[in-house]
Amino acid sequence: MKKIFAAATATLLFSVSAMACDKPSAPELPDPATAVTPQMIKAKNEVNAYIDAAKKYLDCVSGSASRHNAMVKEMEDVADKFNTAVREYKARMSNA
């Protein structure tokens, strides 16, 4: 009986702690075709803050493979989009 209670308690505590995790929202990225330098710097800072918050979220959901994997995928997507925007911005600025 004690083992069943302990298992149920552990499961409940894990579920409650996983539910308390706040998933960060991906930042809005500026349009590299029209962005100015301060907007790109702001986007860089927001992406860095997002990545930091996402790492904390990953620690929080470490017992949930599906939530962990979804967050990692989203982080990769944000990084790819930001890197693409930076490359397009730099190309536009070098042609100006």
Side-chain angles (χ1 to χ4, degrees):
M1 181 70 162
K2 284 186 179 181
K3 289 182 182 179
I4 293 172
F5 179 73
T9 302
T11 301
L12 178 62
L13 289 175
F14 170 74
S15 297
V16 170
S17 67
M19 289 175 17
C21 302
D22 292 327
K23 181 177 177 280
S25 298
E28 293 280 328
L29 299 177
D31 179 358
T34 58
V36 293
T37 301
Q39 289 174 307
M40 294 303 293
I41 292 170
K42 181 179 181 234
K44 176 186 174 199
N45 293 336
E46 289 175 352
V47 168
N48 287 337
Y50 165 77
I51 295 297
D52 289 343
K55 287 178 182 177
K56 290 176 185 170
Y57 177 80
L58 288 175
D59 289 340
C60 185
V61 298
S62 62
S64 173
S66 62
R67 291 172 77 183
H68 180 275
N69 293 344
M71 186 75 252
V72 169
K73 173 74 171 111
E74 185 176 306
M75 291 167 71
E76 290 171 347
D77 290 346
V78 168
D80 287 344
K81 288 176 184 174
F82 177 70
N83 289 332
T84 298
V86 168
R87 282 190 296 274
E88 290 176 11
Y89 170 78
K90 287 182 175 181
R92 180 178 64 105
M93 296 313 291
S94 68
N95 292 330

